[in-house]
Each structure stands twice: as structure tokens, then as C-alpha cells.
């Protein structure tokens, strides 16, 4: 087996996932390098969300392996077999992987600032004053400097999602996962979230983004991956995949949404 590139952040090899008899992932293999933004597109039910949930072990895999920064995620090897890792080890691994969901999952009883400082203080043990300073800077970075003392219930959906992005960034992750982060938002606020994500991509954050926003994929992605029925149908640079897709399934899908 060839030595993986030194700048490899994610290596997924032959990943399989089943829910009962339903085979959702049928041997997904994907490499993501440092500073790369990979957008995963495809129809609903193609396995996109399941795949990125497997990357931080929110879903257990049934076959294959996933490594982040050279470390197996969710499992360890024993006598040539993969056995599930301890909860403590899995939790530690997840601190390196930021995740932004469709729903914002903010603590409703905590302000925007408190939501962002929560994990660095209680998970990483960062000093409260340092965490606060960094959280203020992150809220400014996502355009919410004036909302630090506001509770989620008083924020728009777009503002809540930007707080969720700041919260994930506060852990200084090696990798950011986005699971259709704009799908629950009103159309008029989608742009403000995509703008923050575009800036992260241009700044070199390593990102895997499941999205239906083809405009974002065109401008922010280094590579676009098309999934359908649990397999990767096609992948390539945005210009190549959108302008001259090779696979008939990709052509069919894009013709319906572009």
C-alpha cells in the first residue's frame, strides 16, 4: 500500500454503512488534503449526510476505515481487526473535527458568546478569559460582534447558524464538516451563511460540505463529489464537473437543479 501524502487530512477507504437491510454506503473512498474544500452533491437519499456523519463517528461504519490526520476514527486495530474505540478516545478525536448541522443545536439558555466559549472551557480546559477573547473575535469574524449577549431565540436562523459556525471554529479543528447548513434557512438569509463559509474556504480551512447550493460549490470548492445510491459517481474540479460532467447520472441530476 502506498504511503499517504503528508498533507492528507481525511482518508476514507471502502466505507460501508447499512441500516438494517438498507445498504446506504457501498464502499466510499475519498481523500481530502489540507486546505482543500470538497463539496458533496447528489439527490436526497444518496448517502451524503450518512457519510460525513461517519467521519466523526456519529454513525458507526460496517466496513472499510476512516482516518483523520493519520488516526483511525472510532476504531482501533487489534490483531488485524477493527474494534470500536473507547468513548473517551472517540470524544477526544471529535475535538479535532468541527461539525455544523442543518439545525443549529445551540444552547437556548446561553447567549451567543456563552455558546461559543462552552466547549473550549469545559472540553479543552481553556482559561475562561482567553476563551472569551477568542469567542469575541470569532463572533466578529462571522459578522455578529454586536450579538454576543443575545440569546438564540432572539436571533434569525442565519444568525444562529453563524453562531454555530463560530462555536465549531472555537475548538480550532483540523477539519470542518457541514451538513447542508443552509437547508433549514429562509432564502433571504442563506447568503450570509454561505459568505462566511466562502471566506473560510478562501482562508484555507479544510472543509467537507454537503450542499444543494451549486453556486457555492462553483466558487468555493476545490473539488466536487457527486454521490448517488451510496456510491461516488463522479468527482472533479467544479468547472469540469458542472460544465462537462462525464457520467449520465451527474448530467441528469445537474440538468434538474441548475
Amino acid at each position: 500500500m502506498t504511503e499517504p501524502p503528508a498533507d492528507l487530512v481525511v482518508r476514507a477507504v471502502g466505507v460501508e454503512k447499512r441500516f438494517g437491510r438498507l445498504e446506504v454506503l457501498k464502499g466510499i473512498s475519498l481523500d481530502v488534503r489540507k486546505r482543500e474544500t470538497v463539496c458533496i452533491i447528489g439527490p436526497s437519499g444518496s448517502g451524503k449526510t450518512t457519510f460525513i456523519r461517519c467521519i466523526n463517528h456519529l454513525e458507526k461504519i460496517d466496513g472499510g476505515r476512516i482516518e483523520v490526520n493519520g488516526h483511525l476514527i472510532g476504531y482501533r486495530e487489534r490483531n488485524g481487526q477493527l474494534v470500536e474505540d473507547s468513548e473517551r478516545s472517540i470524544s477526544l478525536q471529535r475535538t479535532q473535527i468541527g461539525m455544523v448541522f442543518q439545525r443549529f443545536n445551540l444552547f437556548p439558555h446561553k447567549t451567543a458568546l456563552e455558546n461559543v466559549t462552552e466547549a473550549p472551557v469545559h472540553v479543552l480546559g481553556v482559561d475562561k478569559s482567553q476563551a472569551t477573547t477568542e469567542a469575541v473575535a470569532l463572533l466578529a469574524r462571522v459578522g455578529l460582534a454586536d450579538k454576543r449577549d443575545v440569546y438564540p431565540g432572539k436571533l434569525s436562523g442565519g444568525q444562529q447558524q453563524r453562531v454555530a459556525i463560530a462555536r465549531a471554529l472555537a475548538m480550532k479543528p483540523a477539519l470542518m464538516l457541514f451538513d447542508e447548513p443552509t437547508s433549514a434557512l429562509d432564502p433571504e438569509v442563506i447568503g450570509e451563511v454561505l459568505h462566511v463559509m466562502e471566506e473560510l474556504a478562501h482562508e484555507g480551512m479544510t472543509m467537507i460540505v454537503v450542499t444543494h447550493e451549486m453556486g457555492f460549490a462553483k466558487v468555493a470548492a476545490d473539488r466536487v463529489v457527486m454521490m448517488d445510491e451510496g456510491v461516488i459517481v463522479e468527482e472533479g474540479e467544479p468547472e469540469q464537473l458542472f460544465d462537462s460532467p462525464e457520467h449520465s447520472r451527474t448530467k441528469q441530476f445537474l440538468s434538474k437543479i441548475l
Side-chain angles (χ1 to χ4, degrees):
M1 193 170 171
T2 57
E3 191 71 20
D7 63 347
L8 198 64
V9 176
V10 179
R11 168 153 281 185
V13 182
V15 175
E16 300 172 4
K17 175 64 185 176
R18 291 179 294 278
F19 293 108
R21 292 183 179 179
L22 181 63
E23 201 177 2
V24 181
L25 301 177
K26 305 171 184 175
I28 297 287
S29 295
L30 183 71
D31 286 355
V32 179
R33 296 190 174 205
K34 192 172 185 179
R35 300 179 68 84
E36 190 177 23
T37 294
V38 174
C39 284
I40 303 179
I41 66 170
S44 297
S46 58
K48 308 183 300 293
T49 288
T50 299
F51 176 57
I52 68 163
R53 286 175 64 85
C54 289
I55 293 174
N56 66 355
H57 204 63
L58 288 175
E59 298 288 354
K60 299 177 184 180
I61 61 176
D62 295 306
R65 61 194 288 141
I66 298 172
E67 296 176 2
V68 174
N69 281 343
H71 299 289
L72 265 173
I73 293 296
Y75 300 89
R76 51 197 161 85
E77 286 191 89
R78 183 191 291 163
N79 301 324
Q81 300 289 317
L82 294 188
V83 295
E84 191 158 15
D85 216 337
S86 67
E87 271 303 319
R88 183 180 177 188
S89 179
I90 292 167
S91 295
L92 193 62
Q93 290 173 333
R94 284 193 185 124
T95 64
Q96 286 291 295
I97 305 170
M99 180 111 183
V100 178
F101 299 88
Q102 294 179 28
R103 298 287 170 181
F104 327 118
N105 296 345
L106 298 176
F107 295 113
H109 59 290
K110 293 182 182 292
T111 64
L113 185 67
E114 290 167 340
N115 265 282
V116 178
T117 59
E118 176 78 11
V121 171
H122 296 288
V123 177
L124 298 182
V126 175
D127 177 77
K128 183 77 179 286
S129 62
Q130 180 187 337
T132 300
T133 300
E134 292 175 355
V136 168
L138 283 170
L139 287 172
R141 187 176 178 186
V142 299
L144 293 173
D146 59 334
K147 303 294 184 184
R148 53 176 286 177
D149 298 319
V150 178
Y151 290 90
K154 299 290 186 183
L155 297 173
S156 71
Q159 289 169 337
Q160 289 186 62
Q161 193 62 297
R162 284 186 281 156
V163 173
I165 293 171
R167 179 182 60 181
L169 292 172
M171 296 293 282
K172 300 183 173 72
L175 169 69
M176 284 282 284
L177 306 175
F178 293 85
D179 180 19
E180 296 187 20
T182 59
S183 64
L185 300 178
D186 294 328
E188 67 265 24
V189 299
I190 286 174
E192 63 193 39
V193 174
L194 293 178
H195 176 69
V196 169
M197 293 171 61
E198 280 179 40
E199 287 194 333
L200 289 176
H202 294 316
E203 289 167 11
M205 171 63 72
T206 309
M207 296 163 46
I208 303 177
V209 184
V210 171
T211 186
H212 290 297
E213 300 292 339
M214 299 301 138
F216 169 80
K218 282 182 177 180
V219 300
D222 297 295
R223 191 154 40 108
V224 179
V225 173
M226 167 72 187
M227 281 184 67
D228 187 40
E229 296 186 347
V231 299
I232 292 177
V233 172
E234 184 173 353
E235 62 178 285
E237 294 180 359
E239 189 174 328
Q240 175 266 310
L241 192 131
F242 287 117
D243 294 345
S244 50
E246 295 176 359
H247 198 284
S248 59
R249 185 66 186 96
T250 312
K251 292 175 185 175
Q252 181 188 30
F253 174 72
L254 292 175
S255 72
K256 290 180 179 178
I257 62 168
L258 289 180

